[in-house]
Amino acid sequence: MTTKSLIIPAAGSGSRMQKETPKPFLELSGATILEHTVRQFLSLDGLVQVVVATSDEYLSHANTILDKVLPEDVKGYSVSGGDERQDSIRNALAVLPDVDLVMIHDAVRPFVEAKRIVECCKEAQRSGAAILGVPAKDTIKRVDDSQFVEETPDRNFLWQAQTPQVFHKNVIVKAFEKAKRDRFSGTDDASLVEYLGRKVRIVKGSQTNFKITYPLDLDIARMLIEKKTG
Ligand code: CTP
Ligand code: MG
């Protein structure tokens, strides 16, 4: 059995959501989004640790959630996040134990399905790096500074990256070390592994695993939870 650690970045300010409370701590049917998200991972074999990165103000709230939901044999930690998501992950990587796989999953994707997490972990175990993603449904345009279209890449080769993004421990640790040395920044974790020169495999996920980003996403999340819980 492969041992696994789960890192959950939850330290963002949620500027696009425009709410006082950061997104992971907003409630959906009586529980925080963070709690719903962590629960999706609890049936996974080999889970030994969950690390949540939050702003200092929310560290104790995150600990309370972890104490409530984690079984005794899974260790929970919360660590201070950083200015960028990448900084938050870096702080979480600093407390990693000796594990085979590191899963990184956004706090604000509470609808990820357990069977997809398992598929992604299996692929990461085989190839070193695997992420969930879905084929782009819209045509994507690359634009210049003045919003003129420069290029329309063939949609058949475009995928939207989701999380979890899962890596052999040594792969993600090396990728973060190289990114720091070279001051490389990316908007997801896989891009740091790509920069390291390693191949990353995409495992097909589902539209359900969307990232709660805008107020409309929160409305959709509420509808989905109500449908699930009746
Ligand atoms: N995140 C983080 N540390 C940061 C920025 C983001 O841990 N410095 C986390 C968020 O809390 C979220 C995940 O990374 O769980 C995905 O980020 P995103 O959806 O962009 O959230 P925010 O950055 O909070 O939102 P926005 O970009 O609208 O400000
Ligand atoms: Mg953000």
Side-chain angles (χ1 to χ4, degrees):
M1 184 182 55
T2 53
T3 53
K4 304 171 184 79
S5 177
L6 168 63
I7 291 176
I8 302 210
S13 61
S15 54
R16 287 169 289 184
M17 185 58 78
Q18 298 180 313
K19 281 219 159 46
E20 191 71 26
T21 308
K23 296 185 286 179
F25 299 95
L26 294 171
E27 295 207 349
L28 287 180
S29 110
T32 59
I33 292 176
L34 175 62
E35 177 175 338
H36 288 290
T37 299
V38 173
R39 284 189 191 280
Q40 297 307 101
F41 286 82
L42 296 183
S43 63
L44 200 67
D45 281 341
L47 182 67
V48 297
Q49 184 202 44
V50 177
V51 189
V52 175
T54 72
S55 59
D56 290 350
E57 234 185 303
Y58 282 88
L59 283 171
S60 72
H61 195 169
N63 272 326
T64 308
I65 293 168
L66 291 175
D67 283 348
K68 177 177 161 198
V69 301
L70 295 185
E72 246 170 48
D73 54 343
V74 180
K75 277 217 153 65
Y77 291 91
S78 50
V79 299
S80 296
D83 287 344
E84 301 295 331
R85 184 180 177 285
Q86 191 169 323
D87 305 315
S88 299
I89 305 293
R90 183 184 302 286
N91 294 350
L93 286 171
V95 300
L96 269 192
D98 191 21
V99 283
D100 300 313
L101 292 179
V102 178
M103 304 177 284
I104 303 177
H105 184 72
D106 293 326
V108 291
R109 294 183 188 268
F111 300 111
V112 64
E113 296 146 302
K115 70 167 195 227
R116 309 274 187 187
I117 302 172
V118 170
E119 283 166 17
C120 195
C121 285
K122 280 193 180 143
E123 185 52 44
Q125 181 60 26
R126 266 194 297 270
S127 59
I131 69 177
L132 287 186
V134 286
K137 76 179 170 186
D138 295 316
T139 297
I140 309 281
K141 305 284 186 185
R142 204 165 61 76
V143 298
D144 64 16
D145 290 342
S146 328
Q147 255 173 260
F148 280 107
V149 173
E150 289 205 316
E151 194 202 355
T152 304
D154 183 348
R155 198 181 62 194
N156 290 317
F157 295 101
L158 294 177
W159 286 62
Q160 284 175 243
Q162 300 178 332
T163 67
Q165 303 201 338
V166 186
F167 311 96
H168 286 176
K169 180 185 171 182
N170 67 318
V171 170
I172 193 67
V173 168
K174 271 195 199 148
F176 269 73
E177 283 168 359
K178 181 166 170 61
K180 184 168 195 181
R181 268 199 311 275
D182 298 0
R183 297 185 185 193
F184 175 84
S185 67
T187 50
D188 72 348
D189 309 293
S191 55
L192 275 57
V193 171
E194 294 154 36
Y195 181 70
L196 183 68
R198 296 268 320 217
K199 288 215 175 246
V200 175
R201 190 90 196 276
I202 297 199
V203 174
K204 193 169 178 182
S206 79
Q207 299 283 350
T208 326
N209 184 25
F210 65 93
K211 183 160 72 71
I212 300 178
T213 306
Y214 292 101
L216 174 65
D217 298 317
L218 194 60
D219 293 340
I220 295 170
R222 296 219 153 98
M223 278 158 52
L224 283 176
I225 289 263
E226 269 169 35
K227 209 169 89 182
K228 241 173 47 174
T229 53

Short mmCIF file of all heavy atoms in Angstrom, two decimals, residues 78-141:
data_model
loop_
_atom_site.label_atom_id
_atom_site.label_comp_id
_atom_site.label_asym_id
_atom_site.label_seq_id
_atom_site.Cartn_x
_atom_site.Cartn_y
_atom_site.Cartn_z
N SER A 78 -2.07 22.36 10.81
CA SER A 78 -2.28 23.53 9.98
C SER A 78 -1.03 24.40 10.03
O SER A 78 -0.37 24.50 11.07
CB SER A 78 -3.55 24.29 10.35
OG SER A 78 -3.60 24.52 11.71
N VAL A 79 -0.70 24.96 8.90
CA VAL A 79 0.50 25.80 8.77
C VAL A 79 0.09 27.14 8.17
O VAL A 79 -0.94 27.24 7.50
CB VAL A 79 1.59 25.15 7.88
CG1 VAL A 79 2.06 23.83 8.45
CG2 VAL A 79 1.09 24.96 6.44
N SER A 80 0.90 28.16 8.40
CA SER A 80 0.62 29.48 7.83
C SER A 80 0.82 29.46 6.33
O SER A 80 1.83 28.93 5.85
CB SER A 80 1.57 30.52 8.40
OG SER A 80 1.36 30.66 9.77
N GLY A 81 -0.11 30.04 5.63
CA GLY A 81 0.03 30.14 4.17
C GLY A 81 0.92 31.31 3.79
O GLY A 81 1.45 32.01 4.66
N GLY A 82 1.10 31.54 2.50
CA GLY A 82 1.92 32.64 2.02
C GLY A 82 1.13 33.54 1.10
O GLY A 82 -0.07 33.35 0.90
N ASP A 83 1.83 34.52 0.52
CA ASP A 83 1.17 35.50 -0.35
C ASP A 83 0.55 34.84 -1.59
O ASP A 83 -0.54 35.18 -2.01
CB ASP A 83 2.16 36.56 -0.81
CG ASP A 83 2.50 37.51 0.32
OD1 ASP A 83 1.74 37.51 1.32
OD2 ASP A 83 3.51 38.23 0.22
N GLU A 84 1.29 33.91 -2.19
CA GLU A 84 0.80 33.20 -3.38
C GLU A 84 0.52 31.76 -2.99
O GLU A 84 1.11 31.24 -2.05
CB GLU A 84 1.87 33.22 -4.49
CG GLU A 84 2.28 34.61 -4.95
CD GLU A 84 1.13 35.36 -5.61
OE1 GLU A 84 0.24 34.70 -6.19
OE2 GLU A 84 1.12 36.60 -5.52
N ARG A 85 -0.36 31.13 -3.79
CA ARG A 85 -0.68 29.72 -3.54
C ARG A 85 0.60 28.88 -3.44
O ARG A 85 0.74 28.01 -2.58
CB ARG A 85 -1.59 29.20 -4.65
CG ARG A 85 -2.09 27.77 -4.46
CD ARG A 85 -2.97 27.36 -5.63
NE ARG A 85 -3.43 25.99 -5.55
CZ ARG A 85 -2.66 24.93 -5.80
NH1 ARG A 85 -1.39 25.08 -6.13
NH2 ARG A 85 -3.17 23.70 -5.71
N GLN A 86 1.54 29.15 -4.35
CA GLN A 86 2.80 28.40 -4.35
C GLN A 86 3.55 28.52 -3.01
O GLN A 86 4.16 27.56 -2.54
CB GLN A 86 3.66 28.94 -5.51
CG GLN A 86 4.88 28.11 -5.83
CD GLN A 86 5.53 28.57 -7.14
OE1 GLN A 86 4.83 28.94 -8.09
NE2 GLN A 86 6.84 28.55 -7.20
N ASP A 87 3.49 29.70 -2.38
CA ASP A 87 4.13 29.89 -1.07
C ASP A 87 3.42 29.07 0.00
O ASP A 87 4.04 28.52 0.91
CB ASP A 87 4.11 31.37 -0.66
CG ASP A 87 4.72 32.28 -1.72
OD1 ASP A 87 5.79 31.92 -2.24
OD2 ASP A 87 4.12 33.33 -2.03
N SER A 88 2.09 29.00 -0.12
CA SER A 88 1.32 28.21 0.85
C SER A 88 1.71 26.73 0.76
O SER A 88 1.90 26.07 1.78
CB SER A 88 -0.19 28.36 0.59
OG SER A 88 -0.58 29.71 0.74
N ILE A 89 1.82 26.23 -0.47
CA ILE A 89 2.21 24.82 -0.66
C ILE A 89 3.62 24.59 -0.10
O ILE A 89 3.88 23.59 0.57
CB ILE A 89 2.18 24.41 -2.15
CG1 ILE A 89 0.82 24.70 -2.79
CG2 ILE A 89 2.59 22.95 -2.33
CD1 ILE A 89 -0.31 23.88 -2.29
N ARG A 90 4.51 25.54 -0.36
CA ARG A 90 5.90 25.40 0.11
C ARG A 90 5.93 25.24 1.64
O ARG A 90 6.63 24.39 2.16
CB ARG A 90 6.72 26.62 -0.32
CG ARG A 90 8.18 26.54 0.04
CD ARG A 90 8.92 27.82 -0.33
NE ARG A 90 8.83 28.13 -1.75
CZ ARG A 90 9.48 27.49 -2.71
NH1 ARG A 90 10.28 26.49 -2.39
NH2 ARG A 90 9.34 27.83 -3.97
N ASN A 91 5.13 26.04 2.33
CA ASN A 91 5.10 25.95 3.79
C ASN A 91 4.56 24.59 4.25
O ASN A 91 5.01 24.05 5.25
CB ASN A 91 4.25 27.07 4.38
CG ASN A 91 4.88 28.43 4.15
OD1 ASN A 91 6.02 28.52 3.71
ND2 ASN A 91 4.14 29.49 4.44
N ALA A 92 3.62 24.06 3.50
CA ALA A 92 3.06 22.74 3.86
C ALA A 92 4.06 21.63 3.58
O ALA A 92 4.19 20.67 4.36
CB ALA A 92 1.76 22.50 3.09
N LEU A 93 4.82 21.76 2.49
CA LEU A 93 5.81 20.73 2.14
C LEU A 93 6.88 20.62 3.24
O LEU A 93 7.50 19.58 3.40
CB LEU A 93 6.49 21.07 0.80
CG LEU A 93 5.65 20.84 -0.46
CD1 LEU A 93 6.36 21.42 -1.69
CD2 LEU A 93 5.38 19.35 -0.69
N ALA A 94 7.08 21.71 3.99
CA ALA A 94 8.11 21.73 5.03
C ALA A 94 7.80 20.77 6.18
O ALA A 94 8.70 20.40 6.93
CB ALA A 94 8.29 23.15 5.56
N VAL A 95 6.55 20.34 6.32
CA VAL A 95 6.22 19.44 7.45
C VAL A 95 5.86 18.03 6.96
O VAL A 95 5.22 17.26 7.69
CB VAL A 95 5.10 20.01 8.35
CG1 VAL A 95 5.50 21.34 8.95
CG2 VAL A 95 3.77 20.14 7.59
N LEU A 96 6.29 17.70 5.73
CA LEU A 96 5.95 16.37 5.18
C LEU A 96 6.69 15.25 5.91
O LEU A 96 7.90 15.35 6.13
CB LEU A 96 6.38 16.29 3.71
CG LEU A 96 5.41 16.68 2.62
CD1 LEU A 96 5.98 16.21 1.28
CD2 LEU A 96 4.05 16.05 2.86
N PRO A 97 6.01 14.17 6.24
CA PRO A 97 6.71 13.00 6.76
C PRO A 97 7.23 12.16 5.58
O PRO A 97 7.12 12.58 4.43
CB PRO A 97 5.60 12.25 7.50
CG PRO A 97 4.37 12.57 6.72
CD PRO A 97 4.57 13.94 6.13
N ASP A 98 7.78 10.99 5.88
CA ASP A 98 8.26 10.10 4.84
C ASP A 98 7.07 9.36 4.23
O ASP A 98 6.54 8.44 4.84
CB ASP A 98 9.25 9.13 5.48
CG ASP A 98 9.99 8.36 4.42
OD1 ASP A 98 10.03 8.84 3.27
OD2 ASP A 98 10.50 7.27 4.74
N VAL A 99 6.61 9.80 3.05
CA VAL A 99 5.47 9.15 2.39
C VAL A 99 5.83 8.86 0.93
O VAL A 99 6.78 9.41 0.40
CB VAL A 99 4.20 10.04 2.39
CG1 VAL A 99 3.51 10.06 3.74
CG2 VAL A 99 4.51 11.45 1.90
N ASP A 100 5.03 7.99 0.30
CA ASP A 100 5.26 7.69 -1.12
C ASP A 100 4.70 8.82 -2.00
O ASP A 100 5.36 9.31 -2.90
CB ASP A 100 4.57 6.38 -1.50
CG ASP A 100 5.10 5.21 -0.68
OD1 ASP A 100 6.34 5.10 -0.55
OD2 ASP A 100 4.28 4.43 -0.14
N LEU A 101 3.45 9.19 -1.72
CA LEU A 101 2.77 10.15 -2.60
C LEU A 101 2.32 11.39 -1.85
O LEU A 101 1.87 11.31 -0.70
CB LEU A 101 1.52 9.50 -3.22
CG LEU A 101 1.72 8.37 -4.23
CD1 LEU A 101 0.36 7.84 -4.70
CD2 LEU A 101 2.54 8.84 -5.43
N VAL A 102 2.41 12.53 -2.54
CA VAL A 102 1.88 13.78 -2.00
C VAL A 102 0.73 14.22 -2.90
O VAL A 102 0.91 14.38 -4.11
CB VAL A 102 2.97 14.88 -1.97
CG1 VAL A 102 2.38 16.19 -1.46
CG2 VAL A 102 4.14 14.43 -1.11
N MET A 103 -0.45 14.38 -2.30
CA MET A 103 -1.62 14.86 -3.05
C MET A 103 -1.81 16.32 -2.67
O MET A 103 -1.79 16.66 -1.49
CB MET A 103 -2.89 14.10 -2.63
CG MET A 103 -2.79 12.60 -2.77
SD MET A 103 -4.31 11.80 -2.15
CE MET A 103 -4.10 11.93 -0.39
N ILE A 104 -2.02 17.17 -3.66
CA ILE A 104 -2.29 18.57 -3.38
C ILE A 104 -3.68 18.87 -3.93
O ILE A 104 -3.96 18.59 -5.11
CB ILE A 104 -1.23 19.50 -4.02
CG1 ILE A 104 0.16 19.09 -3.50
CG2 ILE A 104 -1.54 20.96 -3.71
CD1 ILE A 104 1.31 19.88 -4.09
N HIS A 105 -4.56 19.38 -3.07
CA HIS A 105 -5.95 19.59 -3.50
C HIS A 105 -6.49 20.90 -2.95
O HIS A 105 -6.41 21.16 -1.75
CB HIS A 105 -6.83 18.42 -3.03
CG HIS A 105 -8.24 18.51 -3.50
ND1 HIS A 105 -8.59 18.28 -4.83
CD2 HIS A 105 -9.40 18.82 -2.87
CE1 HIS A 105 -9.90 18.44 -4.97
NE2 HIS A 105 -10.42 18.78 -3.80
N ASP A 106 -7.07 21.72 -3.83
CA ASP A 106 -7.64 23.00 -3.42
C ASP A 106 -8.75 22.80 -2.39
O ASP A 106 -9.65 21.97 -2.59
CB ASP A 106 -8.27 23.71 -4.63
CG ASP A 106 -7.24 24.15 -5.65
OD1 ASP A 106 -6.12 24.50 -5.25
OD2 ASP A 106 -7.57 24.13 -6.86
N ALA A 107 -8.72 23.64 -1.35
CA ALA A 107 -9.77 23.59 -0.32
C ALA A 107 -11.15 23.82 -0.93
O ALA A 107 -12.16 23.38 -0.38
CB ALA A 107 -9.50 24.64 0.75
N VAL A 108 -11.18 24.52 -2.05
CA VAL A 108 -12.45 24.98 -2.61
C VAL A 108 -12.95 24.11 -3.77
O VAL A 108 -13.66 24.57 -4.65
CB VAL A 108 -12.35 26.46 -3.03
CG1 VAL A 108 -12.23 27.32 -1.78
CG2 VAL A 108 -11.15 26.70 -3.94
N ARG A 109 -12.56 22.82 -3.74
CA ARG A 109 -13.12 21.83 -4.68
C ARG A 109 -13.72 20.70 -3.86
O ARG A 109 -13.17 19.58 -3.80
CB ARG A 109 -12.03 21.27 -5.61
CG ARG A 109 -11.44 22.28 -6.57
CD ARG A 109 -10.43 21.58 -7.48
NE ARG A 109 -9.68 22.51 -8.29
CZ ARG A 109 -10.05 22.90 -9.52
NH1 ARG A 109 -11.14 22.42 -10.08
NH2 ARG A 109 -9.31 23.75 -10.18
N PRO A 110 -14.87 20.95 -3.22
CA PRO A 110 -15.43 19.95 -2.31
C PRO A 110 -16.13 18.78 -3.00
O PRO A 110 -16.50 17.82 -2.34
CB PRO A 110 -16.45 20.76 -1.49
CG PRO A 110 -16.87 21.87 -2.40
CD PRO A 110 -15.66 22.20 -3.23
N PHE A 111 -16.28 18.85 -4.32
CA PHE A 111 -17.06 17.81 -5.00
C PHE A 111 -16.20 16.79 -5.72
O PHE A 111 -16.69 16.03 -6.55
CB PHE A 111 -18.05 18.45 -5.99
CG PHE A 111 -19.03 19.36 -5.31
CD1 PHE A 111 -18.99 20.73 -5.51
CD2 PHE A 111 -19.97 18.84 -4.43
CE1 PHE A 111 -19.88 21.57 -4.87
CE2 PHE A 111 -20.87 19.68 -3.78
CZ PHE A 111 -20.83 21.05 -3.99
N VAL A 112 -14.91 16.76 -5.42
CA VAL A 112 -14.05 15.75 -6.04
C VAL A 112 -14.53 14.37 -5.60
O VAL A 112 -14.92 14.18 -4.45
CB VAL A 112 -12.57 15.99 -5.67
CG1 VAL A 112 -12.33 15.82 -4.17
CG2 VAL A 112 -11.66 15.08 -6.47
N GLU A 113 -14.54 13.42 -6.55
CA GLU A 113 -15.07 12.09 -6.22
C GLU A 113 -13.94 11.14 -5.81
O GLU A 113 -12.88 11.12 -6.43
CB GLU A 113 -15.79 11.52 -7.44
CG GLU A 113 -17.01 12.34 -7.83
CD GLU A 113 -17.24 12.38 -9.33
OE1 GLU A 113 -16.33 12.84 -10.05
OE2 GLU A 113 -18.32 11.95 -9.76
N ALA A 114 -14.22 10.34 -4.77
CA ALA A 114 -13.20 9.44 -4.22
C ALA A 114 -12.61 8.53 -5.30
O ALA A 114 -11.40 8.30 -5.33
CB ALA A 114 -13.80 8.62 -3.09
N LYS A 115 -13.45 8.05 -6.23
CA LYS A 115 -12.90 7.10 -7.23
C LYS A 115 -11.93 7.80 -8.18
O LYS A 115 -10.98 7.19 -8.66
CB LYS A 115 -14.03 6.38 -7.98
CG LYS A 115 -14.82 7.24 -8.91
CD LYS A 115 -15.68 6.36 -9.84
CE LYS A 115 -16.16 7.21 -10.98
NZ LYS A 115 -17.52 7.17 -11.36
N ARG A 116 -12.14 9.08 -8.42
CA ARG A 116 -11.19 9.82 -9.28
C ARG A 116 -9.88 10.07 -8.55
O ARG A 116 -8.81 10.10 -9.15
CB ARG A 116 -11.77 11.18 -9.70
CG ARG A 116 -13.13 11.13 -10.26
CD ARG A 116 -13.11 10.86 -11.75
NE ARG A 116 -14.46 10.98 -12.28
CZ ARG A 116 -14.82 10.68 -13.51
NH1 ARG A 116 -13.93 10.24 -14.36
NH2 ARG A 116 -16.06 10.83 -13.89
N ILE A 117 -9.98 10.30 -7.23
CA ILE A 117 -8.75 10.49 -6.44
C ILE A 117 -7.91 9.22 -6.52
O ILE A 117 -6.69 9.26 -6.74
CB ILE A 117 -9.08 10.81 -4.96
CG1 ILE A 117 -9.95 12.07 -4.84
CG2 ILE A 117 -7.81 10.96 -4.15
CD1 ILE A 117 -10.49 12.34 -3.43
N VAL A 118 -8.59 8.07 -6.39
CA VAL A 118 -7.88 6.79 -6.44
C VAL A 118 -7.21 6.62 -7.81
O VAL A 118 -6.03 6.24 -7.89
CB VAL A 118 -8.86 5.62 -6.16
CG1 VAL A 118 -8.21 4.27 -6.44
CG2 VAL A 118 -9.37 5.68 -4.72
N GLU A 119 -7.94 6.93 -8.89
CA GLU A 119 -7.38 6.79 -10.25
C GLU A 119 -6.14 7.67 -10.42
O GLU A 119 -5.14 7.26 -11.00
CB GLU A 119 -8.42 7.18 -11.30
CG GLU A 119 -9.47 6.12 -11.54
CD GLU A 119 -10.69 6.66 -12.33
OE1 GLU A 119 -10.57 7.74 -12.97
OE2 GLU A 119 -11.73 5.99 -12.29
N CYS A 120 -6.24 8.89 -9.90
CA CYS A 120 -5.14 9.85 -10.03
C CYS A 120 -3.92 9.36 -9.25
O CYS A 120 -2.78 9.44 -9.73
CB CYS A 120 -5.62 11.22 -9.56
SG CYS A 120 -4.55 12.56 -10.04
N CYS A 121 -4.15 8.83 -8.05
CA CYS A 121 -3.04 8.31 -7.23
C CYS A 121 -2.37 7.13 -7.92
O CYS A 121 -1.14 7.00 -7.91
CB CYS A 121 -3.54 7.87 -5.85
SG CYS A 121 -3.89 9.27 -4.77
N LYS A 122 -3.18 6.23 -8.53
CA LYS A 122 -2.60 5.06 -9.22
C LYS A 122 -1.70 5.51 -10.35
O LYS A 122 -0.60 4.99 -10.54
CB LYS A 122 -3.72 4.17 -9.76
CG LYS A 122 -4.32 3.30 -8.68
CD LYS A 122 -5.20 2.20 -9.27
CE LYS A 122 -5.77 1.36 -8.12
NZ LYS A 122 -7.14 0.93 -8.40
N GLU A 123 -2.17 6.49 -11.11
CA GLU A 123 -1.37 6.98 -12.24
C GLU A 123 -0.10 7.68 -11.74
O GLU A 123 0.98 7.52 -12.31
CB GLU A 123 -2.21 7.93 -13.12
CG GLU A 123 -1.52 8.40 -14.37
CD GLU A 123 -0.95 7.27 -15.24
OE1 GLU A 123 -1.65 6.25 -15.44
OE2 GLU A 123 0.21 7.41 -15.70
N ALA A 124 -0.22 8.43 -10.65
CA ALA A 124 0.96 9.12 -10.09
C ALA A 124 1.98 8.11 -9.57
O ALA A 124 3.18 8.29 -9.73
CB ALA A 124 0.54 10.06 -8.97
N GLN A 125 1.48 7.03 -8.99
CA GLN A 125 2.37 5.99 -8.50
C GLN A 125 3.17 5.39 -9.66
O GLN A 125 4.38 5.20 -9.57
CB GLN A 125 1.52 4.90 -7.79
CG GLN A 125 2.31 3.76 -7.19
CD GLN A 125 3.29 4.23 -6.13
OE1 GLN A 125 3.09 5.27 -5.50
NE2 GLN A 125 4.36 3.50 -5.94
N ARG A 126 2.46 5.17 -10.80
CA ARG A 126 3.11 4.61 -11.99
C ARG A 126 4.09 5.59 -12.62
O ARG A 126 5.20 5.24 -12.96
CB ARG A 126 2.04 4.29 -13.06
CG ARG A 126 1.54 2.86 -13.04
CD ARG A 126 0.76 2.55 -14.32
NE ARG A 126 -0.43 3.37 -14.47
CZ ARG A 126 -1.64 3.04 -14.01
NH1 ARG A 126 -1.82 1.91 -13.36
NH2 ARG A 126 -2.66 3.84 -14.18
N SER A 127 3.65 6.87 -12.80
CA SER A 127 4.43 7.76 -13.66
C SER A 127 5.14 8.90 -12.92
O SER A 127 5.86 9.67 -13.53
CB SER A 127 3.52 8.33 -14.75
OG SER A 127 2.46 9.02 -14.18
N GLY A 128 4.89 9.04 -11.63
CA GLY A 128 5.59 10.08 -10.87
C GLY A 128 4.79 11.35 -10.67
O GLY A 128 4.94 12.06 -9.68
N ALA A 129 3.89 11.65 -11.64
CA ALA A 129 3.12 12.90 -11.54
C ALA A 129 1.83 12.75 -12.34
O ALA A 129 1.87 12.47 -13.53
CB ALA A 129 3.93 14.07 -12.10
N ALA A 130 0.69 12.96 -11.68
CA ALA A 130 -0.59 12.88 -12.38
C ALA A 130 -1.56 13.89 -11.78
O ALA A 130 -1.54 14.15 -10.57
CB ALA A 130 -1.18 11.48 -12.29
N ILE A 131 -2.39 14.45 -12.65
CA ILE A 131 -3.36 15.45 -12.18
C ILE A 131 -4.73 15.14 -12.79
O ILE A 131 -4.81 14.55 -13.87
CB ILE A 131 -2.95 16.89 -12.58
CG1 ILE A 131 -3.06 17.11 -14.10
CG2 ILE A 131 -1.52 17.17 -12.13
CD1 ILE A 131 -2.74 18.54 -14.54
N LEU A 132 -5.79 15.55 -12.11
CA LEU A 132 -7.11 15.45 -12.74
C LEU A 132 -7.30 16.65 -13.65
O LEU A 132 -6.79 17.74 -13.40
CB LEU A 132 -8.22 15.44 -11.68
CG LEU A 132 -8.40 14.17 -10.84
CD1 LEU A 132 -9.65 14.29 -9.96
CD2 LEU A 132 -8.51 12.93 -11.73
N GLY A 133 -8.06 16.44 -14.71
CA GLY A 133 -8.36 17.54 -15.64
C GLY A 133 -9.54 17.18 -16.49
O GLY A 133 -9.97 16.02 -16.52
N VAL A 134 -10.11 18.18 -17.15
CA VAL A 134 -11.22 17.93 -18.08
C VAL A 134 -10.90 18.62 -19.42
O VAL A 134 -10.25 19.67 -19.43
CB VAL A 134 -12.58 18.45 -17.54
CG1 VAL A 134 -13.10 17.55 -16.44
CG2 VAL A 134 -12.49 19.89 -17.07
N PRO A 135 -11.38 18.03 -20.53
CA PRO A 135 -11.16 18.67 -21.82
C PRO A 135 -11.81 20.06 -21.81
O PRO A 135 -12.90 20.22 -21.26
CB PRO A 135 -11.88 17.76 -22.81
CG PRO A 135 -12.04 16.45 -22.11
CD PRO A 135 -12.13 16.77 -20.65
N ALA A 136 -11.13 21.06 -22.38
CA ALA A 136 -11.69 22.42 -22.41
C ALA A 136 -13.02 22.39 -23.15
O ALA A 136 -13.13 21.80 -24.22
CB ALA A 136 -10.72 23.36 -23.11
N LYS A 137 -14.04 22.98 -22.58
CA LYS A 137 -15.34 22.94 -23.28
C LYS A 137 -15.53 24.19 -24.14
O LYS A 137 -16.20 24.13 -25.16
CB LYS A 137 -16.49 22.71 -22.31
CG LYS A 137 -16.92 23.87 -21.47
CD LYS A 137 -18.10 23.49 -20.58
CE LYS A 137 -18.33 24.62 -19.59
NZ LYS A 137 -19.34 24.34 -18.60
N ASP A 138 -14.94 25.29 -23.75
CA ASP A 138 -14.99 26.49 -24.59
C ASP A 138 -13.77 26.53 -25.50
O ASP A 138 -12.73 25.96 -25.18
CB ASP A 138 -14.98 27.76 -23.72
CG ASP A 138 -16.21 27.87 -22.85
OD1 ASP A 138 -17.32 27.62 -23.36
OD2 ASP A 138 -16.07 28.17 -21.65
N THR A 139 -13.87 27.24 -26.59
CA THR A 139 -12.69 27.54 -27.40
C THR A 139 -11.87 28.57 -26.63
O THR A 139 -12.41 29.53 -26.09
CB THR A 139 -13.13 28.11 -28.77
OG1 THR A 139 -13.87 27.10 -29.44
CG2 THR A 139 -11.94 28.53 -29.61
N ILE A 140 -10.56 28.35 -26.55
CA ILE A 140 -9.69 29.23 -25.75
C ILE A 140 -8.88 30.12 -26.69
O ILE A 140 -8.32 29.64 -27.66
CB ILE A 140 -8.72 28.39 -24.87
CG1 ILE A 140 -9.47 27.33 -24.07
CG2 ILE A 140 -7.88 29.32 -23.98
CD1 ILE A 140 -10.17 27.79 -22.83
N LYS A 141 -8.84 31.40 -26.38
CA LYS A 141 -8.08 32.37 -27.18
C LYS A 141 -6.86 32.83 -26.40
O LYS A 141 -6.95 33.10 -25.20
CB LYS A 141 -8.93 33.61 -27.47
CG LYS A 141 -10.27 33.33 -28.12
CD LYS A 141 -10.11 33.01 -29.58
CE LYS A 141 -11.46 32.88 -30.25
NZ LYS A 141 -11.32 32.45 -31.66
#
